[in-house]
Amino acid sequence: MGSSSPLTRRNRAPSSVLLIFLGFILCFSHSSNAQSKPAFACDVDTNPSLAAYGFCNTDLKMEYRVADLVARLTLQEKIGFLVNKANGVTRLGIPTYEWWSEALHGVSYVGPGTHFSGLVPGATSFPQVILTAASFNVSLFQAIGKVVSTEARAMYNVGLAGLTYWSPNVNIFRDPRWGRGQETPGEDPLLSSKYASGYVKGLQETDCGDANRLKVAACCKHYTAYDVDNWKGVERYNFNAVVNQQDMDDTYQPPFKSCVVDGNVASVMCSYNQVNGKPTCADPDLLAGVIRGEWKLNGYIVSDCDSVDVLYKNQHYTKTPEEAAAISINAGLDLNCGSFLGQHTEAAVKAGLVSEAAINKAISNNFLTLMRLGFFDGDPKKQIYGGLGPKDVCTPANQELAAEAARQGIVLLKNTGCLPLSPTSIKSLAVIGPNANVTKTMIGNYEGTPCKYTTPLQGLAGTVPTTYLQGCSNVACTVADVAGATKLAAEADVTVLVMGADQSIEAESRDRVDLNLPGQQQELVTQVAKASKGPVLLVIMSGGGFDITFAKNDAKIAGILWVGYPGEAGGIAIADVIFGRYNPSGRLPMTWYPQSYVEKVPMTNMNMRPDTSNGYPGRTYRFYTGETVYAFGDGLSYTKFSHSLVKAPRVVSLRLGENHVCRSSECQSLDAVGPHCENTVSGFEVQVKVRNGGDREGIHTVFLFTTPPEVHGSPRKHLLGFEKIRLGKMEEAVVKFKVDVCKDLNVVDEIGKRKIGLGQHLLHVGDLKHSLSIRI
């Protein structure tokens, strides 16, 4: 709330007035806690005449029901279903429906479809996606999605939420300066794909086992090659991403393909930017061609908010708004976040720019999604999730999962041996830093109201006696209280510095220009390390990485942890890791670059591969040729894991037909499709024994990487698979990876075709390397 109201500023009121006022408050409180009815169509209990409509008949196939509904609508009514605030049709018993809700890492209040009230004051706020991705735990991705969809359904049942959620964000975290990298699963196409399909399944899959039914409808965004928001005056609204076909198919598209093909996602959102001169929301090749044609989307395509308006007004891609409306619908857009299509589509039809049949097709995709959600099946209370309500939001189990997700994601980057701390031997702990006692910062963006917060300070102070100093008034840290901080550190057994970023540094519409800790943060860390009596721990709370080489090389800084934006229970997880109640197992899902990298690489260069002719070093661990501060996959444990190879072939031979061109000429690669890919010889198993040689239980992520032969600008290193394994002290187990040569060992060539490189492939797990020859 803002400043005090006139009522609270006045002198105390007479008792009679006060009683009336209290009565009003009680009445108001009661009404704010009263259950509202969810929006749904075909309420035959209230209006039995609706039962006569085919679209309300649940015995019919959904496609027939949709066709029946579309046939009953006027053109103006149809156009009302092309926008996020879809107009109801009272005569058919269809209420207004708001499509726009968000659930990036918990039910969010961003978007008009979702609200919190006295009835449901908050929802479980999980870590921001980049930290959850650092767990490399696919079952966790799905478990979080399942909790979020349960809470979303519970809120829907009391009229506080919708059924369609525009999450997750599966764009590749290509550049460390991107303000929205925090929302993504990181820089690797395989991890991003696994996260995408896992979270989508968690959101969408029902307990009735019908793949065509949806618990809630997810949406993978922002399609495609979208990762510049606002960098040195280049804005997403007018940025043209110039992307070659090789990078498109190798890097930018795989997470979206996995969303649709593996996750069966109900929606894809097209982005603001242009790709190679065409707005994504007006590109028939990208929408009708790839999403619906190649990948067979079962659902709807929605624009990012006001994207159609943007392509007309900002990009001047069309001369008239009617042309913008028509070109988007004709390209395959079904729903417009915003009002643009509602305002200009009728004129576009009258001008002959778009047919009513095209509009029918678009709204049919929208209606079919709502059918799958049960929106046209009458009272939700009588349906599968009808029993959910406020009691199912913020449950102890859900809140514990939020804490567990943060624990699994936290990455230990440096440990000279002082970690974990002993709670019994430490008599005084100094906690310093602008992020040490934050609440909202911990939940990142696209957030909701959390159930409750546990700050880092609260988590640490709950274990040992603690003193606290903010050190800077905020993360910008224009002025640092070095004197106060050094005094505190000089008197404490151990000092924990909680530094990093927040939404004022990295956010939607806000990209960074450098990789240094903001303002005086580095100076504060360095001076505290110099003055401290005992070891210093540096905790970085952020979405993207920083150049913290200074801290990595500072002997007085005994430990460094990256904690992302750890969600509502961040303080619990941080304390659990620091005091050894949890053995850290998170690994970095993105490269941490030195500041020199961004000084020579413009954010607008979309090329993934290095170019020796101009000194361009490439991007992400797969192609980057320069020095790193920390690498993709880095992360330490409090125990020591070792690997030994149990089983892997030395040679894999692919059988070619008698007339295959590669039988008579020297080939560097083969197509990754064809008869040679269909026999069992093209698949094999890699078995790795993992041993915990330490004195405590630990969880370990086993990464299987490959370095392919140098053909078609292949990656320097490429993730084939990852598995999480829990081992007790001195325990060992065998981890198995199934590898399909054609699906897993392919590379994308210069024109976007997938090829199998012939010759030596190097498989690696940790320090273990194994040479594999693929031949014909």
Side-chain angles (χ1 to χ4, degrees):
M1 290 177 69
S3 60
S4 56
S5 69
L7 272 171
T8 56
R9 282 204 302 265
R10 286 183 195 142
N11 295 329
R12 190 181 297 250
S15 58
S16 59
V17 176
L18 188 59
L19 284 170
I20 293 167
F21 178 63
L22 285 172
F24 168 76
I25 290 292
L26 285 169
C27 178
F28 178 77
S29 300
H30 177 75
S31 65
S32 69
N33 282 290
Q35 294 195 17
S36 303
K37 226 171 127 179
F40 66 93
C42 300
D43 185 0
V44 294
D45 295 337
T46 305
N47 184 357
S49 66
L50 297 176
Y53 295 133
F55 66 87
C56 289
N57 185 346
T58 56
D59 293 330
L60 295 176
K61 282 190 174 175
M62 289 186 192
E63 291 76 9
Y64 296 146
R65 296 173 68 190
V66 168
D68 177 80
L69 173 53
V70 172
R72 295 177 188 276
L73 299 173
T74 66
L75 176 61
Q76 288 79 11
E77 287 169 341
K78 290 173 184 176
I79 290 168
F81 289 107
L82 292 172
V83 291
N84 63 283
K85 189 174 177 62
N87 290 332
V89 180
T90 309
R91 66 185 178 84
L92 297 177
I94 302 170
T96 297
Y97 177 72
E98 177 55 69
W99 286 81
W100 182 4
S101 291
E102 304 273 358
L104 183 68
H105 51 105
V107 179
S108 169
Y109 48 55
V110 176
T114 308
H115 309 276
F116 293 99
S117 74
L119 190 61
V120 181
T124 309
S125 191
F126 291 91
Q128 182 61 292
V129 177
I130 192 70
L131 188 73
T132 295
S135 72
F136 283 86
N137 184 346
V138 177
S139 62
L140 177 66
F141 306 157
Q142 194 159 347
I144 292 172
K146 191 167 184 179
V147 166
V148 174
S149 60
T150 295
E151 295 197 345
R153 270 282 177 175
M155 290 176 67
Y156 167 74
N157 285 346
V158 292
L160 291 172
L163 293 167
T164 45
Y165 290 83
W166 293 344
S167 309
N169 178 345
V170 299
N171 293 115
I172 292 292
F173 196 175
R174 172 189 63 97
D175 190 291
R177 292 162 285 193
W178 188 31
R180 302 190 76 175
Q182 59 178 294
E183 301 173 31
T184 76
E187 69 182 34
D188 179 67
L190 178 75
L191 173 60
S192 297
S193 296
K194 296 270 191 191
Y195 178 86
S197 58
Y199 189 63
V200 164
K201 285 176 181 176
L203 287 175
Q204 292 194 164
E205 288 182 353
T206 68
D207 297 315
C208 68
D210 183 348
N212 204 35
R213 285 283 178 177
L214 298 168
K215 191 176 176 190
V216 301
C219 172
C220 288
K221 64 187 188 185
H222 311 79
Y223 181 84
T224 184
Y226 167 73
D227 54 16
V228 175
D229 263 60
N230 189 352
W231 178 77
K232 294 188 176 181
V234 178
E235 283 196 294
R236 56 186 175 168
Y237 304 120
N238 47 34
F239 178 56
N240 177 29
V242 178
V243 187
N244 63 56
Q245 198 60 49
Q246 185 173 30
D247 286 340
M248 184 68 98
D249 290 330
D250 185 36
T251 297
Y252 297 109
Q253 294 290 68
F256 291 101
K257 182 177 181 179
S258 186
C259 265
V260 178
V261 175
D262 303 323
N264 191 25
V265 77
S267 177
V268 175
M269 176 185 283
C270 51
S271 52
Y272 291 116
N273 56 292
Q274 296 186 0
V275 174
N276 299 327
K278 286 184 181 177
T280 62
C281 292
D283 188 336
D285 295 328
L286 284 176
L287 303 190
V290 175
I291 298 177
R292 205 168 288 286
E294 288 180 31
W295 299 342
K296 312 295 182 197
L297 173 73
N298 179 17
Y300 69 101
I301 299 173
V302 61
S303 75
D304 204 340
C305 296
D306 293 320
S307 282
V308 188
D309 188 56
V310 163
L311 73 87
Y312 167 62
K313 285 184 185 166
N314 296 61
Q315 299 173 5
H316 309 294
Y317 191 70
T318 63
K319 288 181 180 172
T320 68
E322 292 78 22
E323 288 170 338
I327 200 170
S328 302
I329 295 168
N330 288 332
L333 187 72
D334 302 309
L335 188 72
N336 166 214
C337 177
S339 56
F340 194 89
L341 290 187
Q343 293 166 350
H344 302 292
T345 303
E346 188 172 359
V349 173
K350 286 177 179 169
L353 300 171
V354 64
S355 66
E356 190 166 350
I359 292 164
N360 291 348
K361 193 173 175 184
I363 62 170
S364 293
N365 292 325
N366 302 340
F367 287 144
L368 190 57
T369 305
L370 290 176
M371 291 272 178
R372 295 173 68 199
L373 287 159
F375 184 82
F376 288 95
D377 293 352
D379 188 353
K381 292 277 192 297
K382 298 179 178 177
Q383 296 178 44
I384 181 172
Y385 296 107
L388 294 174
K391 70 182 188 312
D392 301 294
V393 183
C394 286
T395 65
N398 293 359
Q399 293 187 65
E400 171 53 30
L401 185 64
E404 180 61 20
R407 290 184 199 106
Q408 289 195 26
I410 289 173
V411 182
L412 178 63
L413 292 169
K414 177 182 179 180
N415 184 15
T416 59
C418 88
L419 284 169
L421 300 182
S422 164
T424 51
S425 61
I426 293 170
K427 303 300 179 226
S428 61
L429 183 75
V431 180
I432 300 167
N435 279 337
N437 199 32
V438 290
T439 52
K440 200 163 184 295
T441 297
M442 294 198 301
I443 58 177
N445 68 356
Y446 282 84
E447 75 284 12
T449 304
C451 311
K452 63 182 181 187
Y453 285 112
T454 304
T455 72
L457 176 63
Q458 288 170 336
L460 295 166
T463 304
V464 294
T466 299
T467 53
Y468 163 64
L469 183 76
Q470 195 171 353
C472 316
S473 60
N474 53 42
V475 291
C477 201
T478 50
V479 178
D481 182 4
V482 174
T486 52
K487 183 174 184 297
L488 218 60
E491 296 167 354
D493 292 340
V494 178
T495 299
V496 178
L497 286 154
V498 191
M499 314 301 283
D502 64 14
Q503 302 305 307
S504 70
I505 303 293
E506 52 180 2
E508 184 172 4
S509 299
R510 183 178 293 118
D511 298 325
R512 289 189 284 162
V513 292
D514 65 57
L515 301 181
N516 300 314
L517 285 175
Q520 298 296 307
Q521 284 194 35
Q522 180 171 331
E523 175 69 7
L524 182 65
V525 172
T526 303
Q527 294 306 321
V528 164
K530 272 185 195 169
S532 65
K533 181 173 82 173
V536 173
L537 306 178
L538 175 60
V539 176
I540 302 288
M541 190 180 291
S542 69
F546 286 99
D547 183 348
I548 52 169
T549 307
F550 78 95
K552 185 179 179 182
N553 297 336
D554 189 333
K556 283 295 291 288
I557 296 176
I560 301 175
L561 296 105
W562 174 69
V563 300
Y565 293 119
E568 64 171 43
I572 296 170
I574 291 167
D576 283 348
V577 169
I578 285 176
F579 288 106
R581 294 186 289 264
Y582 187 87
N583 189 349
S585 62
R587 302 291 195 94
L588 286 183
M590 74 298 203
T591 304
W592 285 35
Y593 300 88
Q595 168 60 16
S596 57
Y597 173 75
V598 299
E599 287 167 0
K600 59 190 174 193
V601 176
M603 195 174 170
T604 48
N605 187 331
M606 302 294 289
N607 292 333
M608 299 304 297
R609 288 160 171 77
D611 186 344
T612 50
S613 69
N614 60 16
Y616 181 67
R619 293 185 181 277
T620 76
Y621 82 94
R622 297 172 70 223
F623 301 105
Y624 175 59
T625 53
E627 294 295 313
T628 63
V629 180
Y630 288 106
F632 175 89
D634 275 0
L636 304 172
S637 169
Y638 294 150
T639 187
K640 183 70 179 168
F641 294 99
S642 59
H643 312 99
S644 56
L645 189 66
V646 175
K647 178 184 176 185
R650 287 275 176 199
V651 177
V652 173
S653 298
L654 298 177
R655 296 179 190 145
L656 300 185
E658 293 295 323
N659 301 321
H660 197 284
V661 64
C662 291
R663 279 192 171 277
S664 56
S665 62
E666 199 70 32
C667 288
Q668 284 191 308
S669 64
L670 290 173
D671 287 339
V673 291
H676 52 279
C677 289
E678 288 156 18
N679 60 56
T680 52
V681 182
S682 71
F684 61 89
E685 192 170 75
V686 174
Q687 296 184 8
V688 178
K689 184 183 287 181
V690 184
R691 185 169 187 270
N692 177 1
D695 60 358
R696 65 172 62 220
E697 181 185 82
I699 299 170
H700 182 54
T701 300
V702 187
F703 293 115
L704 177 62
F705 289 100
T706 178
T707 298
E710 291 185 23
V711 292
H712 307 301
S714 58
R716 300 171 76 241
K717 190 177 172 185
H718 179 63
L719 185 61
L720 289 186
F722 54 89
E723 293 291 338
K724 295 280 278 194
I725 183 171
R726 183 191 295 269
L727 293 173
K729 59 183 180 181
M730 310 308 289
E731 189 182 354
E732 60 186 31
V734 174
V735 174
K736 299 176 181 178
F737 294 96
K738 283 190 164 41
V739 180
D740 183 302
V741 170
C742 295
K743 285 180 184 168
D744 301 321
L745 295 182
N746 65 58
V747 296
V748 176
D749 73 6
E750 295 76 3
I751 59 169
K753 297 284 185 192
R754 292 201 172 262
K755 302 276 191 176
I756 309 151
L758 297 174
Q760 293 301 119
H761 292 246
L762 193 64
L763 302 178
H764 14 161
V765 176
D767 296 329
L768 188 70
K769 290 183 169 54
H770 174 77
S771 187
L772 164 71
S773 176
I774 298 180
R775 63 191 189 192
I776 53 176

